[in-house]
Every structure is written in structure tokens, then in C-alpha cells.
Amino acid sequence: MSTLLEVSGVSVSFDGFKAINNLSIQIGEAELRAIIGPNGAGKTTFMDIVTGKTKPDEGYVIWGEKSVSLLDMNESQIAQAGIGRKFQKPTVFEEQTVRENITMALKNPRSPLDLLLNRAAADTEERVRAVSDDIGLTDALDQLSGALSHGQKQWLEIGMLLAQDPRLLLVDEPAAGMSATEREQTTDILVRAAKTRAVVVVEHDMEFVRRLNCKVTVLHQGSVLAEGSLDHVTKNQDVIDVYLGR
Amino acid sequence: MERTFIAKNPSVLWFLLGLSVFTLLVSIFSEAAGSAVISTSFLKTLGKTLCLCLVAIAMDVVWGYCGILSLGHFAFFGIGGYAIGMWLMYARTKDIVVGSLENNILPPTPDEVTTAIGSQIFGVVGSSDFPLIWAFSHSLTLQLLAVVLVPGLLALVFGWLAFRSRVTGVYLSILTQAMTLALSLYLFQNDTGLRGNNGLSGLQNIPGLEAVSQATLSLWFFWASAFALGLGYVFFAWMLAGKFGSVIRAIRDNETRVRFLGYHVETYKLFIFTTTAMIAGIAGALYYPQAGIINPAEIAPIASIYLAVWVAIGGRGRLYGAVIGAVVVSLMSSWFTGGSAPDINLGIYIVKWTDWWLVLLGLTFVAVTLFFPKGIGGLFDLISSRQEKQQ
Ligand SMILES: Nc1ncnc2c1ncn2[C@@H]1O[C@H](COP(=O)(O)OP(=O)(O)OP(=O)(O)O)[C@@H](O)[C@H]1O
Ligand SMILES: [Mg+2]
């Protein structure tokens, strides 16, 4: 499996506190990966670094077969290069409809003039449908997204990611605040998405991670503590100490 | 799915209809049409109000839709006025000068003519030389271009600097206000070449149209203003209708998120800031010939703040809201400050509206912000939601 994203030797400190400490992670093409770790382990910060929100103090972040450095790019360039991100707190545009939210995310040219002058891309409706079917929100297309339930907002956000058709999808705590059935549907969406692209999921809930049935990376104090199958890492003594020891 | 632009934006049709009817009625009752109902000076007030509506919708687009609280858009409006004013003043003074030198025995040399025009225009600031910025004032075409290009360029450069450094929110407002203040202070100086605090005057006289009465001229300007407002309204409505409008509103609500969707937020903001500045310039160029005079006080930061107040009272984020706000507040303002509002005698104290109008306006603004964030335009939501319930 060829490497899609390579993070190596990355460190970040906030006011002297090392949130990420010599972190190295590799994600392969069309891989599904779960990242777990206690609160404050640096999971969200890892995503901030990959998506350009936070610039690391040292280390490399290398992307794609051309091995470009993401550190020289800004957020929108990184997004256009094919990395999509779902935030921990669901952020959809609440005053706009589900359709408008998805349409904005669809992979299309993104300059102001493109948007103003090439209005009616013929296949827009179809593509919006495909996404809304995938996340089960087709009936809600014309609703304001602010009126959706918490779980539906999470799906909409995942749907917006899928609409961008990224090669790598970073998903921060997608199942937070969801009911058991909603969680199952979320797993399905993510597993389906990972068939054609790489998906990295941060999640606290072990049951959820078990259902993803994929390689797991355990973060602790900003670096990798263990990596492997869920059974493998949960047997690791360091991991047990971190999760249960304190 | 395929619905036409008008079907999706019924307010555009209603607005155009209302504007046409209004224009027609005003024309019929104007002095130029032989009626005495609407005096020429009131006609000018109405025409000016239409220009204010145009700059208000520009303000609404930049603030209400895109979330940039610019306190510089009235400066762009003023620049438009100055740009057209320079041609008006130059061309008319030239006509007068040439006319008065005609009777000389020797025909005047071009130099003599220029000096004579110069001393006519710049005599008030003790000079007769043409400053560099008047280089194009002889050409109507070039000054018309300046009406759009100067505000556009200023907005482009200023916006580029500000947005690139990700200055947002109240800091951006302060920065735009500083720009406005700097511009007005600059214009106040006598040696800037724009006649200092005298400003440009006599703008109601259109060179070459001396034979046309002010009543007729004012009607023409009124029509031009109505046309520009209609066009501006349709332009902005069209711009904001589709996905572009979606992105603009998304930037207002959460610009970070829009960045992660892959949109270059700064370019969008710059686009909006610059386009609205150019429209503001056009509005100003139509306004000041009706006002007859422009001076640096017009550009002072307070004017841009008023603009924000109009939009807030009328209702942010809807174009007709800006129009309502501009009409209601500017007309009330001229009624109250014009001395026609009756004073209220409280026995111990006489409320003079000329003094108290600003207080009333300020209180209204606070009340609207606190209790009716959707402004007057929000009333339309109530009506339409009631209709939906009845269906
Ligand atoms: N911008 C910032 N400024 C200061 N400290 C920060 C910043 N961002 C993160 N941190 C700190 O870095 C550490 C790692 O935070 P991070 O959000 O990455 O943790 P996490 O693994 O996502 O935790 P959680 O499971 O609670 O979401 C925390 O101690 C956090 O307080
Ligand atoms: Mg986190």
C-alpha cells in the first residue's frame, strides 16, 4: 500500500506546553484508520497540523505521490489538494438549507468568477442527490440545516466532506452525542467512504472503533504510544496504564 | 428544479414594480410636467434618497451578507462625487471663462485660458495652478471612469492589505474608519488641490445644458438615480442568488469553515469589498450633482456610521431592508433637522427636534439592535410566515 500522508517528527508547543511531541504517523491510500487517546492527547491538534490550521515548530508533513509539503500551503490550498476535515463540534451553515450546504462543498472550481458565471452545472442536482442519499438526508434537502438534529448535522458535515471528494478524510469524533442507532449508521457511512479514499477517524468510544474494524493508533501526550489492531493495542501495557492507570 | 431567477427572488420583481410606479408618479407630479405638487427641491431630495438607497444596498451586501462592517463605504460614495464634481466644475468654469474672454481684442492664448480657469476654481484657496489630480478633469469620460476606478482601486489595495493579514470584526471596522478619517482630513487641507473645506460647488449646473431648466434637469437626475438603483438591485440580487451568495453568507457565519471547504475567503471578501465600493462611487456621482455641493465634511466617518445605522434599522441581509432603512431614516432625518418638525413644549423644557433627532436616532438604533435584530424588513417575515400558516 503506497503512502498518501506522511507526518514525521512533528512537534508543536503552545506557550511552552508541548501538545505534539515528535509525532510520526503514516496513512496509506484508501486506508481506514482510527486514532484514539485520552483527552488532551493531541488528536485534534494533529488534524489542525495536517489541514494547515496550526503550523508545527518542527517536522515534515508530506502529501501524495508527488511528495509535496503541506506546510507551505494555506487551509484552502490544502483542502483543494484533497484533504477534507470534519470538526469535533459540528459546524454546518445553519442559516442555509441542506442542499446549499452540500452544493457549496461539491468538488467544482472555487474562484468567485467560476461561481458567478458558470451557474448551472448540469450534474449538480445528481451529485447533491448522491451525497444526500449516502447520508440519509434526501428528505431534508430543502430544510434549513439549523433545524436538523445533532446527529443529522454530523452526517451533513460528513456529507459535505464526501461532496468535496477528498482523497483523505479527517473526521474528529463523528459519533459524539449520537444515539446507538445513529452511531451504527455513522460507522456504515465511514466504512463505505473508506473504500475509495483514506479515512482517519478520531473517536473515544471503543465500541465504535471496534465496529470500524481497522488499524488503530493510540496517541498520548502528543506522540504515538501504540499502533496495530484494536485487540493488539488494548493488550499493550502502556495503553492500559494510560487509560486505566490514572 | 430549473426555476428562473425571478421566481426564486420574488422581491426583485416587487421592488422593480414599486420603483417604476414611484418614478412614474413623481414624474407626473413634478414641476417639469407642469404640476406643482412636487417642488424641484423636493424632487432633488427624492432623487438623492434613491442614491442613498443604492449605497445602502451596497453596504448591506458588504455587511449584512458578507459580515464585513465597513465604515468606509460613504467615503467611496464621496470619492465618486468628487470625481464627477471635478469635471462639472472644470467644464462649467471653462465655459464661463471662454465666454468672458471672447470680447477681448486679441484672442486669448490657451495658457491664459487655463490660468483664468485655475484662478476661478482655486482662488478660494489662494492659488491658480492646476494640481496634478485635476489632470483629467477636462474629460468627462475619464472622470466617469474615475468614479468607479478610484473607489475600486482604493478598496482593492486597502482590502488586500487588511484581508490578507486576516484582520476581521471590530478591528477591521476601526481600520476602515481610520481610512475614512484620513481621507476626510486630507481633503480638508487647502493644498490637496480639491479646494479644502470649500469643496466643489455649483455642481447642479451641467455644462452644455445651460438651456435646460433645473426642474427638468432634476427630473433627469431623478430618472438616472432610479435607473441606477433598479440596476444595482438586480445586479446584487443576481450576484447573491446562487452558490456565490451561499458562499458569501457562509463567510459571514463561519469563515474558518469556508476555508476548509477549499474556498479562498480573502479573494471573496476582496471581490465584495471592491464591487460594493465601485457601486458606492456611482451612487455618489449621481447624488452630488443633485446636492450641488460636496465638501470633506460629507466624507467624515460619521456618514459611514449613519450608513450602517440605516442598514441595521432597515434589516440586514435583505436588499429591500437596506432600501427601507435608507428611505425612512434619511427622509425622517431631513424632516427633523430641516426645522419642519414641530417642537414639543413640555412646559419646563422645549424639545427642539433639530437637537434631539440624533438622540432619537441613537435610541432607535440601540432598540433595534437589542430587540429587533432583523430590523423593519423583519416584518415581512412575519407576514409571509402568517400566510404560510393560513395555506
Ligand atoms: N490553540 C491552542 N492553544 C493552547 N493550547 C492548545 C491549543 N490547542 C490545543 N491546545 C492544548 O494541546 C493539548 C492537545 O489538545 P487537543 O485538542 O489536540 O487534544 P485532543 O486529543 O483532541 O483531546 P479531546 O479528546 O479532548 O478532544 C491540550 O492540552 C490542549 O489544551
Ligand atoms: Mg479533540
Side-chain angles (χ1 to χ4, degrees):
Chain A
M1 189 164 56
S2 63
T3 312
L4 182 61
L5 175 76
E6 181 176 353
V7 174
S8 70
V10 166
S11 299
V12 179
S13 26
F14 297 112
D15 311 321
F17 166 73
K18 268 210 160 161
I20 295 286
N21 189 3
N22 196 17
L23 175 72
S24 300
I25 291 185
Q26 293 186 2
I27 308 291
E29 203 97 44
E31 177 183 356
L32 179 58
R33 173 80 61 96
I35 296 185
I36 61 175
N39 290 112
K43 305 180 295 289
T44 301
T45 311
F46 158 74
M47 293 194 170
D48 287 345
I49 290 169
V50 175
T51 52
K53 192 177 179 199
T54 301
K55 292 289 170 205
D57 306 327
E58 20 178 332
Y60 306 98
V61 182
I62 310 288
W63 168 253
E65 47 282 318
K66 288 199 197 114
S67 297
V68 292
S69 167
L70 293 183
L71 301 183
D72 308 326
M73 296 159 71
N74 64 32
E75 293 99 319
S76 58
Q77 287 168 331
I78 293 176
Q80 284 179 10
I83 299 182
R85 167 169 194 187
K86 193 197 101 47
F87 287 84
Q88 193 161 345
K89 187 170 153 277
T91 37
V92 295
F93 298 104
E94 310 227 333
E95 292 186 18
Q96 307 202 33
T97 61
V98 171
R99 184 194 304 282
E100 284 171 316
N101 271 278
I102 298 177
T103 310
M104 248 190 284
L106 280 181
K107 186 176 182 175
N108 274 325
R110 270 161 160 57
S111 82
L113 287 182
D114 285 320
L115 263 60
L116 275 177
L117 303 179
N118 311 330
R119 304 213 137 191
D123 57 344
T124 302
E125 181 62 15
E126 264 166 60
R127 287 162 69 198
V128 169
R129 272 301 158 102
V131 171
S132 66
D133 285 345
D134 210 358
I135 54 174
L137 286 180
T138 301
D139 289 338
L141 271 179
D142 290 313
Q143 269 181 37
L144 285 188
S145 63
L148 297 178
S149 75
H150 179 80
Q152 287 175 319
K153 282 183 196 166
Q154 299 265 32
W155 291 336
L156 174 56
E157 200 173 350
I158 296 174
M160 289 166 74
L161 281 184
L162 296 175
Q164 284 180 68
D165 195 20
R167 293 177 64 194
L168 170 65
L169 234 146
L170 302 171
V171 195
D172 205 348
E173 306 206 14
M178 281 190 176
S179 70
T181 33
E182 284 177 333
R183 274 160 193 265
E184 260 173 56
Q185 290 181 34
T186 309
T187 336
D188 292 345
I189 296 174
L190 292 175
V191 170
R192 231 176 317 161
K195 288 196 179 121
T196 48
R197 54 176 62 83
V199 178
V200 175
V201 186
V202 163
E203 190 49 67
H204 280 294
D205 179 32
M206 284 300 172
E207 256 332 287
F208 188 89
V209 174
R210 185 172 302 284
R211 243 179 289 123
L212 287 176
N213 189 22
C214 65
K215 186 169 167 184
V216 176
T217 299
V218 186
L219 283 196
H220 177 53
Q221 293 180 348
S223 38
V224 176
L225 190 63
E227 207 163 65
S229 73
L230 186 61
D231 288 330
H232 171 81
V233 298
T234 45
K235 286 196 193 89
N236 183 311
Q237 191 55 47
D238 291 338
V239 176
I240 295 171
D241 289 348
V242 164
Y243 266 94
L244 305 172
R246 289 180 300 165
Chain B
M1 171 63 206
E2 281 304 313
R3 292 163 68 207
T4 58
F5 167 68
I6 294 291
K8 276 192 240 169
N9 299 277
S11 85
V12 174
L13 205 59
W14 287 115
F15 180 78
L16 291 181
L17 200 67
L19 185 64
S20 314
V21 171
F22 174 69
T23 310
L24 195 68
L25 287 178
V26 170
S27 308
I28 292 172
F29 292 111
S30 69
E31 270 181 40
S35 158
V37 181
I38 295 177
S39 69
T40 296
S41 88
F42 189 57
L43 179 62
K44 285 186 183 193
T45 304
L46 293 177
K48 285 190 292 181
T49 306
L50 293 178
C51 300
L52 296 177
C53 291
L54 183 56
V55 65
I57 59 176
M59 178 69 186
D60 193 20
V61 171
V62 77
W63 182 32
Y65 284 85
C66 196
I68 306 167
L69 176 49
S70 160
L71 295 179
H73 270 62
F74 217 84
F76 299 132
F77 182 87
I79 293 175
Y82 265 100
I84 197 65
M86 286 159 79
W87 174 77
L88 287 169
M89 243 190 132
Y90 177 90
R92 183 172 142 77
T93 314
K94 185 176 175 195
D95 285 353
I96 295 172
V97 165
V98 169
S100 70
L101 292 181
E102 227 164 39
N103 304 331
N104 288 11
I105 305 158
L106 287 175
T109 64
D111 266 358
E112 279 172 346
V113 174
T114 311
T115 314
I117 301 174
S119 56
Q120 280 287 324
I121 297 182
F122 303 108
V124 284
V125 289
S127 160
S128 65
D129 299 334
F130 269 92
L132 201 60
I133 37 174
W134 286 73
F136 303 122
S137 58
H138 59 276
S139 158
L140 174 60
T141 319
L142 290 176
Q143 289 299 136
L144 281 177
L145 276 178
V147 163
V148 238
L149 293 186
V150 176
L153 209 64
L154 183 61
L156 191 70
V157 172
F158 184 86
W160 185 73
L161 290 171
F163 299 140
R164 191 190 54 141
S165 336
R166 300 214 174 155
V167 180
T168 54
V170 79
Y171 298 99
L172 189 82
S173 304
I174 293 172
L175 215 58
T176 51
Q177 182 163 42
M179 174 199 82
T180 309
L181 184 63
L183 187 72
S184 92
L185 291 179
Y186 170 81
L187 288 173
F188 262 120
Q189 309 209 322
N190 280 345
D191 50 11
T192 17
L194 288 164
R195 308 194 348 140
N197 62 351
N198 306 290
L200 309 181
S201 54
L203 309 184
Q204 72 279 21
N205 305 306
I206 312 300
L209 297 178
E210 287 81 3
V212 183
S213 73
Q214 276 295 315
T216 310
L217 264 184
S218 304
L219 190 60
W220 289 355
F221 267 100
F222 176 81
W223 285 341
S225 309
F227 183 71
L229 176 60
L231 211 61
Y233 196 97
V234 172
F235 170 72
F236 282 131
W238 169 80
M239 187 168 103
L240 295 164
K243 191 164 153 189
F244 182 87
S246 234
V247 172
I248 293 301
R249 282 175 292 142
I251 289 175
R252 169 192 70 195
D253 294 339
N254 189 344
E255 72 174 66
T256 317
R257 183 72 181 85
V258 179
R259 271 194 199 106
F260 287 111
L261 280 179
Y263 290 95
H264 198 258
V265 169
E266 287 67 38
T267 313
Y268 278 83
K269 286 188 174 177
L270 200 55
F271 187 94
I272 289 288
F273 195 65
T274 309
T275 336
T276 51
M278 297 200 295
I279 304 274
I282 295 174
L286 283 166
Y287 180 95
Y288 287 104
Q290 303 181 70
I293 179 164
I294 180 170
N295 61 46
E298 301 274 324
I299 289 179
I302 187 71
S304 292
I305 294 175
Y306 278 142
L307 191 56
V309 171
W310 298 345
V311 173
I313 290 182
R316 264 178 292 164
R318 56 183 90 218
L319 294 177
Y320 59 87
V323 172
I324 294 172
V327 170
V328 171
V329 184
S330 76
L331 286 184
M332 275 176 65
S333 165
S334 51
W335 189 64
F336 277 117
T337 56
S340 29
D343 294 343
I344 298 176
N345 196 338
L346 295 178
I348 40 167
Y349 185 82
I350 299 175
V351 177
K352 285 205 175 67
W353 282 117
T354 35
D355 301 336
W356 281 88
W357 156 243
L358 273 187
V359 177
L360 180 69
L361 182 63
L363 290 177
T364 315
F365 179 59
V366 172
V368 166
T369 318
L370 290 179
F371 305 114
F372 313 99
K374 288 181 167 180
I376 303 175
L379 296 176
F380 287 83
D381 289 354
L382 292 180
I383 298 170
S384 62
S385 71
R386 194 162 297 160
Q387 275 174 350
E388 259 163 43
K389 263 185 212 136
Q390 282 171 355
Q391 274 168 12

